[in-house]
Amino acid sequence: MLLEVEGLCVNYGHIEAIRDISFGVPEGTVTTLIGANGAGKTTTLKTVSGLRKVRAGTVRFDGKDITSLAPYERVKLGINQSPEGRRCFVGMTVRENLDMGAFVRKDRKTQAYRDDLDRVLTLFPRLQERINQPAGTLSGGEQQMVAMGRALMSRPRLLLLDEPSMGLAPKLIQQIFSIVTEINEQGTTVLLVEQNAAQALKRSDEAHILETGAIVRSGTGAELAGDEAVKAAYLGGDV
C-alpha cells in the first residue's frame, strides 16, 4: 500500500472536520474521494500533504510514518498536490510556474529535467503554446493544466488532485479526466477529490464516500457507480 491513512482525526478549532477515517491507496491506482461540500474531502488531501495538523491518527507513505513531516519533506518523498482553485502564480509565466513545481529538485540543468518538462508539455500541448504567457492571462482550463503540470514537475509517486474539473466547460472536463487516466497509466498513483462523481468513478480503481467527516461507503469505482443509493445521492440517478 503506497498511502495508508489510519484513524485520522482533524479539527478546525473546535469543529471536527474529519472523524476517525481509515483508507489506503494502492500503488498504481486511481483512488477517489467523493461527497458533498463540507464532507471533509479537501481537508483529507491537505492532511496527507501536510497542510493540516493531525489531532489523532497516522499517515504512512510507502511504509514510513509521515504524520509529523513538513509539507516540503513530503514533496521530497514523492507526494505533491494540485490544489482546489488551481492557485497559479498569476504574474509568472507558464514556464516559471512549471519550474516552481520542481523547487525541491537539484537537477534542473540535466536531461532528466528537460525530459520531465517535455512530458508535461506533451500531456498538455496547450501549455507549449502559452509557455511564455503570464498564468493570469490563461483560461480556467489552461490554469488547471498549469496546476497539474506544476505538481508533476516534482516527479511525484502520489499525485493529489483536488477538484480538477471545477468550473470547467463539459468538453474540457472530459479532456482533463482523460489526462488524469494517462498520468496514471504512465505510472503515477492518483488520489482524486472530485465533485463530478460520475466521471471520477468511471476512472477509479477504488473509491470512498465521505459524509460529515467520516467514510460511510467504500468499494471499487464500478461498484459505487452501479449502486442505486450512490446514483441517487451523487450521480443524479444515473452514471
Side-chain angles (χ1 to χ4, degrees):
M1 196 68 69
L2 185 61
L3 178 73
E4 298 169 273
V5 173
E6 186 175 316
L8 196 65
C9 299
V10 178
N11 281 27
Y12 286 91
H14 296 295
I15 299 172
E16 197 172 41
I18 298 176
R19 298 183 288 112
D20 193 28
I21 68 171
S22 299
F23 67 94
V25 178
E27 188 159 16
T29 65
V30 176
T31 299
T32 296
L33 306 178
I34 63 173
N37 286 334
K41 306 183 303 296
T42 292
T43 299
T44 301
L45 286 196
K46 286 183 174 180
T47 305
V48 170
S49 63
L51 298 174
R52 296 298 310 175
K53 290 186 177 181
V54 172
R55 179 173 63 80
T58 305
V59 180
R60 285 188 293 272
F61 182 69
D62 202 17
K64 178 180 180 179
D65 187 340
I66 63 169
T67 311
S68 300
L69 280 187
Y72 76 93
E73 294 288 356
R74 302 186 196 207
V75 174
K76 288 181 178 180
L77 286 178
I79 301 173
N80 209 338
Q81 181 168 349
S82 175
E84 180 182 6
R86 294 129 200 175
R87 307 286 180 88
C88 295
F89 300 102
V90 295
M92 299 169 66
T93 67
V94 168
R95 173 61 190 266
E96 289 167 339
N97 270 269
L98 296 177
D99 285 340
M100 286 296 292
F103 75 98
V104 298
R105 295 180 60 168
K106 301 184 185 300
D107 63 345
R108 295 196 191 191
K109 296 183 179 181
T110 68
Q111 186 61 47
Y113 185 85
R114 290 190 289 272
D115 288 345
D116 288 335
L117 180 60
D118 287 344
R119 175 199 176 202
V120 167
L121 297 178
T122 300
L123 284 167
F124 305 103
R126 190 78 61 86
L127 298 187
Q128 178 69 74
E129 300 169 11
R130 306 284 194 267
I131 194 73
N132 293 315
Q133 280 186 227
T137 67
L138 305 184
S139 69
E142 290 166 345
Q143 289 191 22
Q144 183 61 54
M145 295 173 189
V146 171
M148 293 171 65
R150 180 180 60 193
L152 288 172
M153 285 303 296
S154 69
R155 280 188 172 176
R157 293 178 63 194
L158 175 64
L159 177 63
L160 310 178
L161 291 177
D162 195 353
E163 303 285 7
S165 77
M166 180 181 287
L168 302 186
K171 185 177 179 181
L172 269 177
I173 290 174
Q174 188 70 36
Q175 183 181 355
I176 288 294
F177 276 110
S178 294
I179 293 169
V180 171
T181 298
E182 188 171 353
I183 289 168
N184 177 244
E185 289 174 347
Q186 290 179 359
T188 303
T189 304
V190 177
L191 177 57
L192 171 67
V193 158
E194 181 53 56
Q195 286 279 354
N196 191 325
Q199 287 286 349
L201 291 177
K202 282 180 183 179
R203 291 164 169 80
S204 297
D205 299 287
E206 299 187 4
H208 309 279
I209 297 175
L210 271 72
E211 291 181 4
T212 59
I215 292 176
V216 296
R217 184 75 190 275
S218 298
T220 67
E223 287 170 348
L224 294 187
D227 183 274
E228 294 301 323
V230 174
K231 286 183 181 182
Y234 300 104
L235 306 174
D238 199 0
V239 179

